[in-house]
Amino acid sequence: MTDSAHMVLMVATVLFGLGLIGVLTRKNVVFMLISVEIMLNAAGLAFVAAGSKWQQPDGQVMFLFILAMAAAEVSVGLALVLQIYHQHKTMDVEDLKELRD
Amino acid sequence: MSTLFYISSIVAVASTVMVITRYHPVHALLYLAVSFLSVGMIFLSLGAPFVAALEIIVYAGAIIVLFIFVVMMLNLGRETAQQEKEWLQPKVWVVPSILVLILLVEMIILLFSDNKDIMRISVVDPRKVALSLYGEYIIAVELTGFLLMAGIVGAAHIGKHKRSSLHRFLQNGENGNGKAHTGVPPEQVSNEQTVLHD
């Protein structure tokens, strides 16, 4: 059982790393939001794996909180994406430099 | 358990790699749905069926639909029919369909096999989760309610489509200083005069 828990944690790490690579390399705002979703999903996977290893329900409770947080985050983020596209007609984060010094 | 877990984790990693390497948002969302389904399959093989159902309902249902709505709204007005014809080529949806078929076969094996070696896992049932959620985590549940409320209000406020959506200082900077200074103060003076005469 510990072996499989280690494997699940490794899978969660790989998924989190892929999401981090996506956030760092992509320049489109929608792809960055998608990568953030992948990272949150990997964090939830790690929580559920830990809760399954010790047979406690706390991991699944934390996954529910991550789920609600991801839903709120993606709704606000997509509203921001729509507003950015209506104002600037672009999705490239390199062109959105109004807050830059 | 372990073979099913390995297959679904391979599917998850492969589909996630395909998500972050696609150039088109709809293709990336298709692979993202496959990735969420395979993570739900991992949850099922870990002995958490309630969380697996929530993963499929909320992530692969609601969040993917939100993304698809936004992508479709951003592409509105151009040659959408031609675009959809390009998006639905067979080489786009064949690979995700194969991955989902792998997951489906896996779930059928997991559900309809009487062999106890496959399901040799101890399930944390939803009853314990609910008792813990509404017992010791009740403050966190209420804070999550606040967070969702703030998310709804914030999304409704940000997503409002205003005609002049820049701040007035930024508008003054764009229009030039002279026009801005002539524009605003006379209204205030007239207001004060009317107030004084009344």
Side-chain angles (χ1 to χ4, degrees):
Chain A
M1 197 59 200
T2 63
D3 190 19
S4 74
H6 284 183
M7 286 309 295
V8 178
L9 284 183
M10 281 181 60
V11 171
T13 309
V14 169
L15 289 181
F16 192 87
L18 286 174
L20 189 63
I21 290 171
V23 170
L24 291 179
T25 56
R26 300 308 292 262
K27 293 286 184 284
N28 196 330
V29 187
V30 175
F31 281 99
M32 292 173 74
L33 275 178
I34 288 173
S35 302
V36 169
E37 289 302 314
I38 291 172
M39 289 166 67
L40 287 174
N41 198 15
L45 177 60
F47 268 114
V48 174
S52 167
K53 183 179 185 305
W54 276 282
Q55 294 296 312
Q56 293 296 318
D58 299 335
Q60 300 190 22
V61 172
M62 285 300 159
F63 180 80
L64 289 181
F65 294 151
I66 289 176
L67 198 71
M69 195 265 291
E73 175 258 340
V74 77
S75 62
V76 175
L78 287 175
L80 277 174
V81 165
L82 280 181
Q83 210 53 22
I84 285 171
Y85 187 75
H86 281 148
Q87 291 189 9
H88 299 277
K89 299 298 176 191
T90 181
M91 301 297 291
D92 195 354
V93 290
E94 297 287 328
D95 295 336
L96 304 172
K97 48 191 176 186
E98 304 226 335
L99 282 181
R100 187 183 294 173
D101 286 334
Chain B
M1 172 252 170
S2 70
T3 309
L4 298 178
F5 164 70
Y6 285 139
I7 293 172
S8 53
S9 59
I10 286 171
V11 171
V13 172
S15 59
T16 308
V17 169
M18 293 298 277
V19 167
I20 67 169
T21 53
R22 292 303 95 186
Y23 288 115
H24 207 285
V26 175
H27 302 169
L29 287 174
L30 203 55
Y31 281 106
L32 186 66
V34 179
S35 172
F36 285 155
L37 290 179
S38 58
V39 173
M41 193 65 214
I42 292 176
F43 287 155
L44 198 58
S45 72
L46 277 177
F50 177 59
V51 166
L54 274 183
E55 166 95 18
I56 291 175
I57 289 172
V58 177
Y59 270 114
I63 291 178
I64 294 286
V65 165
L66 269 179
F67 272 110
I68 288 176
F69 272 166
V70 168
V71 169
M72 292 300 165
M73 281 174 71
L74 293 184
N75 285 314
L76 206 62
R78 291 180 224 158
E79 306 117 350
T80 49
Q82 182 65 32
Q83 275 184 350
E84 289 198 20
K85 198 174 178 182
E86 290 177 358
W87 291 346
L88 279 183
Q89 286 172 353
K91 70 179 174 60
V92 171
W93 53 263
V94 160
V95 181
S97 307
I98 291 172
L99 295 177
V100 169
L101 271 181
I102 290 173
L103 291 177
L104 181 64
V105 169
E106 202 177 358
M107 197 183 71
I108 287 173
I109 290 173
L110 190 61
L111 289 183
F112 290 102
S113 65
D114 292 331
N115 191 3
K116 289 302 177 186
D117 290 334
I118 297 178
M119 285 290 286
R120 201 178 55 214
I121 48 177
S122 52
V123 177
V124 178
D125 54 343
R127 177 183 164 82
K128 286 168 68 179
V129 178
L131 285 176
S132 175
L133 187 66
Y134 289 104
E136 48 192 339
Y137 287 104
I138 185 65
I139 303 292
V141 172
E142 292 180 358
L143 287 177
T144 307
F146 277 115
L147 178 69
L148 282 176
M149 190 69 205
I152 290 171
V153 173
H157 179 69
I158 293 171
K160 208 187 300 176
H161 188 62
K162 288 170 286 194
R163 181 58 62 189
S164 66
S165 46
L166 284 178
H167 194 267
R168 61 181 189 278
F169 292 159
L170 293 177
Q171 280 179 349
N172 289 340
E174 275 194 353
N175 291 331
N177 290 325
K179 188 189 287 185
H181 281 300
T182 57
V184 180
E187 291 182 356
Q188 292 178 355
V189 168
S190 64
N191 282 333
E192 284 180 1
Q193 283 177 351
T194 54
V195 167
L196 284 178
H197 284 299
D198 285 335

